[in-house]
Amino acid sequence: YRGGGRSSARETACRVVAGSIAKQILDNVKINAYVSSVGNISVNKSHSELDFDNTEKNNVRCPDLDVAKEMEELILKVRKDGDTVGGVVTCVIKNTPVGLGEPVFKKLHSELGAAMLSINAVKGVEIGAGFDVVSQKGSEARDEITPKGFLSNFSGGTLGGISTGQDLHVNIALKPTSSILIPGKTIDQKNKPTTIRTKGRHDPCVGIRAVPIAEAMMALTLCDLYLRHKA
């Protein structure tokens, strides 16, 4: 019961190592992940406006350096209060091979969803426009196609469970960890009410840790589907 065990982020170290090998197999495929939201602070620029080289140039792994500063200030404030905050990690994959995935049981987006949800603290996954499609009409959400290619990418690079060759867009939501200094209600082994207060070193925002893990899981999922497709 002491330590995170299978719930510790240390468990993901082997995933990152494997993901680096998968990236080499995928070769020309470019996988970039970054923190797009921390609490109520979000990046409002499109993927094409961001310089992904800036992602590792700040402590919160956000390519928008001005927003990154705001995120860092919020995290430090939350940490001082003994609390935690959640975040969103956005993944963008360019040069995705066409035809990866299957139409029913091994859909590309279902495989990506399962991979993302296997990461600690991830509570939600969006593919493409995600929940924003709820406010769209069918005439707006459909990705029309011409002889020159698609006119939009609300589907996030996958249609009918198969990759279209467009950029893959995936958002993952990470919860604020419950390992905090603020006392909370719980029960003991005899089902009696008591309180818990978690001491020790805990991240005030685990989202910033998830960026390389998300990239690794994207790479591993695509690599599996790529090798299956190639076979």
Side-chain angles (χ1 to χ4, degrees):
Y1 68 99
R2 296 188 185 279
R6 64 172 178 79
S7 297
S8 171
R10 295 175 182 84
E11 174 272 324
T12 61
C14 57
R15 303 189 191 203
V16 176
V17 173
S20 67
I21 298 172
K23 285 182 179 180
Q24 295 177 60
I25 295 174
L26 294 169
D27 192 24
N28 193 43
V29 179
K30 303 300 180 184
I31 302 175
N32 290 289
Y34 64 93
V35 174
S36 56
S37 293
V38 170
N40 60 356
I41 299 173
S42 301
V43 173
N44 293 316
K45 294 180 180 178
S46 65
H47 301 140
S48 60
E49 296 177 289
L50 296 172
D51 183 356
F52 294 130
D53 289 337
N54 288 331
T55 302
E56 293 295 334
K57 292 181 179 179
N58 57 83
N59 293 328
V60 293
R61 290 189 165 118
C62 175
D64 187 324
L65 299 181
D66 292 330
V67 176
K69 186 176 181 180
E70 293 182 45
M71 290 178 173
E72 188 167 355
E73 290 174 353
L74 174 61
I75 292 172
L76 290 174
K77 180 182 182 303
V78 169
R79 181 182 183 181
K80 186 177 181 180
D81 295 338
D83 215 335
T84 56
V85 66
V88 174
V89 171
T90 295
C91 306
V92 182
I93 303 180
K94 297 182 176 295
N95 304 328
T96 307
V98 177
L100 299 186
E102 299 176 12
V104 181
F105 295 110
K106 291 289 182 179
K107 293 180 179 180
L108 174 57
H109 54 280
S110 67
E111 294 294 288
L112 288 173
M116 295 298 106
L117 287 167
S118 74
I119 300 173
N120 301 331
V122 173
K123 302 299 289 184
V125 178
E126 286 187 318
I127 308 292
F131 283 93
D132 287 342
V133 298
V134 175
S135 61
Q136 294 177 321
K137 296 183 176 68
S139 57
E140 298 170 322
R142 64 184 178 182
D143 292 322
E144 295 179 287
I145 189 170
T146 70
K148 294 184 179 180
F150 288 94
L151 298 180
S152 59
N153 189 20
F154 293 116
S155 64
T158 172
L159 285 171
I162 300 172
S163 62
T164 64
Q166 295 175 279
D167 292 352
L168 278 172
H169 295 165
V170 180
N171 290 330
I172 60 174
L174 293 104
K175 70 173 185 176
T177 177
S178 57
S179 304
I180 57 178
L181 292 172
I182 300 173
K185 296 178 181 179
T186 187
I187 55 174
D188 61 20
Q189 292 178 328
K190 296 181 179 179
N191 201 34
K192 300 296 182 181
T194 184
T195 58
I196 185 171
R197 181 172 179 267
T198 309
K199 299 181 180 179
R201 189 192 69 80
H202 299 284
D203 294 315
C205 180
V206 295
I208 61 179
R209 303 286 193 185
V211 170
I213 306 168
E215 286 190 4
M217 294 309 297
M218 295 285 277
L220 289 168
T221 302
L222 283 181
C223 191
D224 281 347
L225 294 174
Y226 169 72
L227 294 175
R228 186 180 300 146
H229 181 74
K230 191 174 181 180

